[in-house]
Amino acid sequence: MRREKHLFERVVAFGSLHRAFLAASAGKRDRRAVRRFELALETRLWEMHREVAAGAYAWGPYRRFVISDPKRREIRAAPFRDRVAHHAIVAVVDPLFERGFISDTYACIRGRGQHAAVERYRRFVRARDGRGYAVHCDIASYFRSVDHGVLLTLLGRRIADRRLLDLLASLIAHGGEAPGVGMPIGALTSQMFANLYLDPFDHFMKEELRVRHYVRYMDDFVALVDDRAAARRLLARVEEFLAECLRLRLNPRRRVIAPLAEPRDFLGYVHHPGGRTRVRRRNVKRARRRFEALEEDLRQGRTAPEVARSSIASWIGLAAHADAFRLSRAIFAEHDPGNLGKRLLVARLSK
């Protein structure tokens, strides 16, 4: 693959930084940090341009917080100024990476989101008529385990611009969980690096192991094979490649070999061999809790109707890709914040 040159100038150009500001501030213009940055927008962007161009840009401290939905994870949010820099980098660099990705890798790629991955998986299962086995795994502590040396080597295979590589190296080192390892969950650039890091694994699966039916969504992947013996051989090769080439290991609790004749939980849905798909049970419980809380918040005036509408639309978008009309109707019979749920459900069906 050709290594790209003359990228640094495109990242630091004033126009690139201005477009990055617009992307980073979209939907957030009322936040204090964004308002303060925008008050002296031109001055701040030229200041960023000079610092990055001189190799003197100093990344700011991350704000750390924990979420527990669905599992407990620490999120690190970069200062707004750094988020502008992240957007400028991703806008230039990410399209170069995407050109080399296989067609069956998903997440944080335009047109290749969760639902596209789910549909691809369904298509593969239908092609096998429910026969064979699924090898379903994910990576243990993926973001915390990314090796900086391996990542920089992968970047160097695509980028021939030394100044940009130095900028990326400083960003990667700044976001490490420990010296030489880890990336922050929540950073835009981390999503880009995460897809690139597993790209060699994708090519290994498709080109060396010749797995025809394979889908990866970030670090969650499924490979479909003919029988249990083939599944065991595949799993052994996968573990060997990940350890030797990427310094990663599989999550022992998500290291599954199962017949395709059994239901498979993948990307928020439980897929049944006959073609029926239901929403994962914990997602249903979470929706019920969320709508109950939203009802009370709307009554007390603590939440705007737009927030409730967005939350309900998110559920309907998820349920629309499953056999979940009756389920949605039952949920909205129990809890319907602002009487929006049934109306949005009918509107979705009428399209």
Side-chain angles (χ1 to χ4, degrees):
M1 180 173 293
R2 188 182 70 179
R3 299 172 69 223
E4 297 288 340
K5 301 178 181 179
H6 310 300
L7 300 174
F8 184 79
E9 293 83 356
R10 291 168 55 191
V11 171
V12 302
F14 182 85
S16 295
L17 293 174
H18 184 254
R19 287 189 293 273
F21 163 76
L22 295 176
S25 63
K28 304 169 185 174
R29 302 292 274 272
D30 59 337
R31 297 186 181 180
R32 182 182 301 175
V34 179
R35 291 201 308 267
R36 289 178 60 187
F37 193 95
E38 192 172 12
L39 278 174
L41 180 60
E42 186 173 352
T43 298
R44 294 183 186 278
L45 292 180
W46 278 116
E47 182 181 75
M48 287 183 65
H49 168 83
R50 288 192 296 269
E51 290 180 11
V52 176
Y57 188 84
W59 303 100
Y62 288 97
R63 179 173 62 87
R64 297 172 180 257
F65 58 95
V66 174
I67 63 170
S68 300
D69 190 7
K71 61 183 180 181
R72 184 177 175 85
R73 289 182 297 180
E74 182 185 79
I75 306 298
R76 286 190 280 163
F80 181 73
R81 185 173 189 255
D82 286 1
R83 295 203 295 273
V84 173
H86 292 176
H87 275 274
I89 290 168
V90 169
V92 171
V93 175
D94 201 32
L96 308 179
F97 298 161
E98 288 184 15
R99 291 205 295 263
F101 292 163
I102 67 168
S103 59
D104 288 327
T105 187
Y106 296 82
C108 309
I109 302 172
R110 188 182 300 275
R112 291 200 244 168
Q114 175 188 359
H115 296 138
V118 165
E119 181 52 40
R120 187 66 163 166
Y121 171 76
R122 288 173 178 162
R123 196 176 307 149
F124 286 162
V125 173
R126 288 195 298 268
R128 286 181 164 270
D129 197 24
R131 293 189 294 269
Y133 280 75
V135 179
H136 185 191
C137 308
D138 66 19
I139 309 298
S141 304
Y142 178 45
F143 278 70
R144 298 181 66 180
S145 302
V146 165
D147 183 275
H148 293 180
V150 173
L151 178 56
L152 291 170
T153 298
L154 294 174
L155 289 168
R157 292 176 183 173
R158 308 289 181 92
I159 299 171
D161 188 320
R162 174 44 56 190
R163 289 199 294 171
L164 179 56
L165 287 173
D166 288 344
L167 178 65
L168 296 178
S170 71
L171 171 60
I172 292 165
H174 175 71
E177 285 284 338
V181 67
M183 300 188 303
I185 297 175
L188 182 66
T189 47
S190 292
Q191 297 171 3
M192 177 182 71
F193 294 146
N195 267 333
L196 175 67
Y197 198 86
L198 283 176
D199 181 55
F201 176 65
D202 292 338
H203 287 276
F204 170 75
M205 294 289 280
K206 299 297 289 186
E207 296 161 13
E208 187 166 337
L209 299 188
R210 301 287 182 179
V211 181
R212 183 179 181 186
H213 297 143
Y214 164 77
V215 177
R216 177 174 69 82
Y217 186 90
M218 197 53 75
D219 66 314
D220 193 349
F221 64 90
V222 174
L224 309 184
V225 296
D226 292 334
D227 52 50
R228 187 178 292 275
R232 287 172 174 163
R233 289 194 300 269
L234 175 73
L235 189 56
R237 295 290 303 279
V238 162
E239 291 184 305
E240 180 183 16
F241 179 88
L242 290 173
E244 292 184 359
C245 299
L246 299 178
R247 300 179 186 175
L248 299 173
R249 61 183 182 88
L250 295 177
N251 182 345
R253 292 181 296 178
R254 291 289 306 277
R255 186 176 168 275
V256 175
I257 294 176
L260 285 180
E262 296 179 357
R264 172 100 324 264
D265 186 333
F266 182 54
L267 297 182
Y269 300 93
V270 178
H271 307 271
H272 292 259
R276 188 170 66 89
T277 302
R278 65 177 177 81
V279 180
R280 183 185 287 159
R281 186 171 299 167
R282 69 169 177 260
N283 290 347
V284 176
K285 291 180 179 179
R286 192 159 65 244
R288 283 192 160 105
R289 289 196 301 267
R290 185 167 67 246
F291 294 159
E292 182 179 10
L294 276 173
E295 273 193 322
E296 181 63 22
D297 288 345
L298 280 170
R299 278 196 294 267
Q300 299 296 330
R302 294 192 296 260
T303 296
E306 296 78 25
V307 175
R309 179 182 292 272
S310 175
S311 186
I312 292 169
S314 176
W315 162 260
I316 292 175
L318 179 73
H321 293 267
D323 302 298
F325 172 74
R326 291 182 180 177
L327 171 64
S328 296
R329 191 169 57 183
I331 290 174
F332 293 135
E334 300 169 11
H335 306 290
D336 193 352
N339 297 313
L340 293 168
K342 292 175 185 175
R343 282 186 282 159
L344 287 175
L345 185 61
V346 170
R348 180 66 180 249
L349 290 173
S350 64
K351 288 184 179 179

